[in-house]
Amino acid sequence: MARRTVKIDLQARNAEVFLKLCEDIAEQNTALGVSSPLADGEFVNMTTFTDVVTRARQKREEALAHYAIAEAAMAESRHLIGTAAKQTSHTPGTLFYMTGIVKKLLLTLNHANPEALSLWGFNVVVRMVKNPGRRIKV
């Protein structure tokens, strides 16, 4: 005879699916009323369970609203900086564009001493490259 196995996945890592399950449990308990196997509160206090489910749903909705606000603010900051989609260092009005102009101007003014740009906050690296010498044609 074959052995029967039962697996019931709670999917607790997927908050939306898990909250829906908890809401369904609370709803079924309420629909059954006193005939519910959970009505006596011996194992789980369903009043507390329902209260926790309601608070969890409210906090999740609040978090999603804050997330949407944060995403909109981040998109606006990327647009102002100049790192949004389809923006380059040549996009006028962005910080990336204006900083490039500042860098070029300061480098022109400090051509003999480019390390002076580090006083402005730029990360300046000056290297000396060895002359490769003359190549012999074959």
Side-chain angles (χ1 to χ4, degrees), residues 2-55:
R3 189 172 68 138
R4 181 175 134 180
T5 61
V6 177
K7 180 183 177 198
I8 301 172
D9 189 14
L10 296 180
Q11 295 187 9
R13 291 183 186 255
N14 186 339
E16 200 57 43
V17 172
F18 186 69
L19 272 176
K20 176 70 173 111
L21 170 65
C22 293
E23 290 167 342
D24 290 345
I25 291 169
E27 184 181 314
Q28 181 67 13
N29 181 64
T30 303
L32 291 176
V34 292
S35 63
S36 170
L38 304 172
D40 61 2
E42 183 179 341
F43 298 107
V44 176
N45 182 337
M46 288 308 288
T47 305
T48 303
F49 181 84
T50 304
D51 181 50
V52 172
V53 168
T54 303
R55 287 191 347 233

Side-chain angles (χ1 to χ4, degrees), residues 5-131:
T5 61
V6 177
K7 180 183 177 198
I8 301 172
D9 189 14
L10 296 180
Q11 295 187 9
R13 291 183 186 255
N14 186 339
E16 200 57 43
V17 172
F18 186 69
L19 272 176
K20 176 70 173 111
L21 170 65
C22 293
E23 290 167 342
D24 290 345
I25 291 169
E27 184 181 314
Q28 181 67 13
N29 181 64
T30 303
L32 291 176
V34 292
S35 63
S36 170
L38 304 172
D40 61 2
E42 183 179 341
F43 298 107
V44 176
N45 182 337
M46 288 308 288
T47 305
T48 303
F49 181 84
T50 304
D51 181 50
V52 172
V53 168
T54 303
R55 287 191 347 233
R57 174 59 71 189
Q58 290 170 347
K59 288 298 180 183
R60 179 151 177 84
E61 295 301 323
E62 180 183 339
L64 290 173
H66 288 299
Y67 182 75
I69 292 168
E71 282 292 312
M74 187 60 73
E76 185 176 347
S77 79
R78 286 185 183 124
H79 180 72
L80 293 170
I81 291 169
T83 56
K86 298 183 181 179
Q87 285 186 320
T88 66
S89 62
H90 303 292
T91 307
T94 63
L95 288 174
F96 197 19
Y97 175 78
M98 291 183 272
T99 305
I101 293 171
V102 169
K103 179 187 80 169
K104 289 175 188 175
L105 174 64
L106 291 174
L107 193 55
T108 302
L109 294 173
N110 295 290
H111 179 69
N113 183 19
E115 290 92 357
L117 272 70
S118 63
L119 297 173
W120 292 83
F122 290 98
N123 183 17
V124 181
V125 178
V126 178
R127 295 186 181 156
M128 300 302 286
V129 179
K130 184 179 173 185
N131 190 353

